Amino acid sequence: MSATLNAAVATAAAATVDPACAEPLAVLGRDVTVPLVTGGEVTYAALDYAASAPALQRVWDDVAAYAPYYGSVHRGAGYLSQLSTDLFEQSRVTVAEFLDCRPADQVVFTRSTTDSLNLLAAVLPAGCQVFVFETEHHASLLPWVDAQVTYLNAPRTPAEAVATLERALADRDPYGPALVCVTGASNVTGELWPVKELAAAAHAHGARIVLDAAQLAPHHRVSVQELDVDWVAFSGHKLYAPFGSGVLAGRADWLQEAQPYLAGGGASRKVARREDGGVDVEWHTTAARHEAGSPNVIGVYSIASACKALTEAGFENLVAREQHLIAKVRSGLAEVPAVRILSLFGDDAPRVGVISFVVDGWNSSHFAAALSAEYGIGVRDGLFCAHPLVRTLLGSEPQAQGECGAPEAAPGERSLNAIRVSFGAGTPDEHVERFVRAVRELVADGAKWQYRTEEGRCVSAVSLQGARR
């Protein structure tokens, strides 16, 4: 793990404030109740933060206060348009400060991490070589279709990750452009990757590096300058900011030299007809070059609001409290012999609040359905858009079919899937305590309800509407 992130975890662990006494940040949905198939209702335990985190109350309040003043950005002379433009551009400054960008870096607003990495893939120089570990989320594994891609095998230690990359880079064409793509924290195991060391290896071999911070930015401070990455990408909806916006921030040259990601209004600076009937276009050289169309002002502002809220809360405090929750979950699961936690780097690897596991005798879809229907706990099951990684971690172990819910497997393949629990700044202790208790009870006593397979998913045999009656 990078020295920067390692120091952050160590500092948080040594914090003088008792994390068990710290209050979670206020998020929407914290008081929502859901019906149980066994009768009654319970406060919903949202433990699927790695997919989409609930919106911070602060973000929602900021957006609600702005909404009456919403206007068209960059093109309007009216007061509301000018106000919205100022808000949009100030949000860009806020994000740059949140990421500790270099003065010349550009912050481009996109739809998501996936969109950000596809944008970067679209602007790669001709002949660019891309190096990516098979352990990546599909958002950072798949966009490089027009480049020469080298997929690196899953490492089993951070040091092996660095050594694997160095060997691959040493064998590349030393005269052409190259890019390394790496996650900051795994969306499957939660483990932190040695970003700073990988960046140093990339730069030593004349390559650039992009950091997929989708799972890192909501949990740890991310400094572009300290990690020495060339670009960073993340999504608002994982950073407690809904409304479908993302960020690609970093070096401007490849972005400025490439054709716009999307052609249209906003990206163009000047358009003129030619005598031959065609058009000549002069494109912007600012971030607007890749932000064609009317931008998602509310989504962008929500990201800026979340950046401010997390910064003001203090990542040291947030990390300390999260480590407290991680310890609760991991120690609780360790007491259940049927449970195996998935890991690349081992039990002692620093991690964020993302934990995947399998349960002997259970299909993961069936187990997740029982957690939801009988305990009001929302987790995720499957391969988590990281199929090569999960298959590597589960490759030698067949999945029990259970009563239902085993996803269709290809001919000759076993059905493989896992359960993922994830949490963050808005998670109260009771949610993870209920989760651990539910795991123990399901393993010991089995499900209390009947389940069936419906369109490849395991669902309760009685509808939730029926359960309310």
Side-chain angles (χ1 to χ4, degrees):
M1 185 179 65
S2 78
T4 302
L5 296 179
N6 195 18
V9 174
T11 300
T16 56
V17 177
D18 182 0
C21 299
E23 290 294 323
L25 299 186
V27 295
L28 294 185
R30 58 190 179 279
D31 299 323
V32 168
T33 59
V34 295
L36 302 179
V37 292
T38 51
E41 294 186 338
V42 67
T43 302
Y44 183 63
L47 296 179
D48 194 16
Y49 275 47
S52 283
L56 286 172
Q57 185 67 53
R58 155 76 176 275
V59 170
W60 194 260
D61 291 344
D62 283 350
V63 167
Y66 161 66
Y69 301 93
Y70 171 82
S72 177
V73 174
H74 295 146
R75 299 173 181 82
Y79 178 80
L80 297 190
S81 290
Q82 294 181 47
L83 186 150
S84 294
T85 297
D86 288 345
L87 191 77
F88 185 82
E89 293 303 331
Q90 185 55 48
S91 295
R92 204 187 303 276
V93 173
T94 298
V95 171
E97 292 173 348
F98 179 75
L99 295 173
D100 189 27
C101 289
R102 296 165 291 255
D105 285 343
Q106 284 188 349
V107 172
V108 180
F109 289 117
T110 65
R111 293 179 299 169
S112 59
T113 307
T114 301
D115 196 33
S116 295
L117 293 171
N118 275 270
L119 163 56
L120 187 59
V123 305
L124 295 180
C128 189
Q129 297 173 274
V130 176
F131 298 83
V132 57
F133 286 93
E134 67 173 350
T135 47
E136 292 290 311
H137 186 282
H138 294 171
S140 47
L141 186 73
L142 302 180
W144 320 106
V145 291
D146 294 327
Q148 178 184 335
V149 186
T150 298
Y151 295 104
L152 306 175
N153 292 335
R156 287 297 181 166
T157 66
E160 184 183 340
V162 177
T164 298
L165 179 62
E166 287 180 332
R167 286 194 298 270
L169 290 173
D171 291 337
R172 82 175 186 91
D173 176 359
Y175 300 106
L179 178 71
V180 175
C181 181
V182 67
T183 188
S186 171
N187 79 303
V188 176
T189 68
E191 292 164 315
L192 298 176
W193 276 63
V195 177
K196 190 169 185 176
E197 289 79 2
L198 291 168
H203 294 153
H205 291 275
R208 297 189 181 189
I209 186 168
V210 57
L211 168 63
D212 175 352
Q215 299 296 339
L216 182 63
H219 303 274
H220 282 275
R221 177 177 174 267
V222 174
S223 169
V224 167
Q225 296 194 67
E226 290 181 12
L227 295 174
D228 197 22
V229 294
D230 297 280
W231 292 277
V232 61
F234 70 88
S235 295
H237 72 99
K238 298 185 192 297
L239 196 78
Y240 311 98
F243 307 112
S245 279
V247 168
L248 177 67
R251 299 195 181 279
D253 53 351
W254 286 5
L255 294 167
Q256 292 175 346
E257 293 163 5
Q259 289 295 302
Y261 181 46
L262 297 173
S268 56
R269 188 174 181 179
K270 182 189 299 183
V271 180
R273 289 294 302 273
R274 296 196 306 263
E275 291 184 1
D276 63 5
V279 295
D280 288 321
V281 184
E282 180 183 335
W283 302 106
H284 279 294
T285 58
T286 63
R289 186 184 188 90
H290 299 289
E291 294 176 344
S294 295
N296 182 356
V297 185
I298 287 180
V300 165
Y301 182 45
S302 72
I303 289 180
S305 174
C307 290
K308 289 180 179 178
L310 293 174
T311 301
E312 291 168 7
F315 272 106
E316 181 177 309
N317 296 328
L318 297 176
V319 169
R321 188 169 191 286
E322 185 173 301
Q323 293 303 310
H324 159 75
L325 296 177
I326 291 170
K328 271 182 177 284
V329 174
R330 287 180 61 83
S331 62
L333 294 181
E335 294 174 358
V336 184
V339 171
R340 182 172 78 85
I341 296 176
L342 306 183
S343 176
L344 269 177
F345 300 155
D347 290 342
D348 295 331
R351 64 195 73 229
V352 299
V354 179
I355 298 168
S356 296
F357 62 98
V358 291
V359 183
D360 292 342
W362 286 80
N363 174 266
S364 296
S365 181
H366 184 197
F367 201 88
L371 285 172
S372 174
E374 300 178 27
Y375 295 91
I377 298 170
V379 298
R380 184 153 297 230
D381 66 277
L383 299 175
F384 318 125
C385 291
H387 294 189
L389 171 56
V390 180
R391 291 184 182 279
T392 293
L393 296 172
L394 296 179
S396 62
E397 299 183 14
Q399 280 279 290
Q401 294 296 308
E403 294 182 32
C404 71
E408 294 288 338
E413 288 188 357
R414 292 188 298 274
S415 174
L416 299 176
N417 59 351
I419 307 153
R420 184 182 70 189
V421 56
S422 53
F423 41 87
T427 305
D429 283 50
E430 189 276 329
H431 287 186
V432 299
E433 291 165 356
R434 191 196 319 170
F435 166 76
V436 171
R437 183 174 67 253
V439 170
R440 289 173 180 157
E441 291 179 2
L442 286 172
V443 169
D445 305 327
K448 301 181 180 69
W449 207 254
Q450 294 295 314
Y451 297 84
R452 69 175 186 273
T453 300
E454 186 174 288
E455 297 182 351
R457 299 289 306 164
C458 189
V459 298
S460 61
V462 175
S463 72
L464 292 180
Q465 290 292 333
R468 289 191 180 96
R469 295 193 295 270

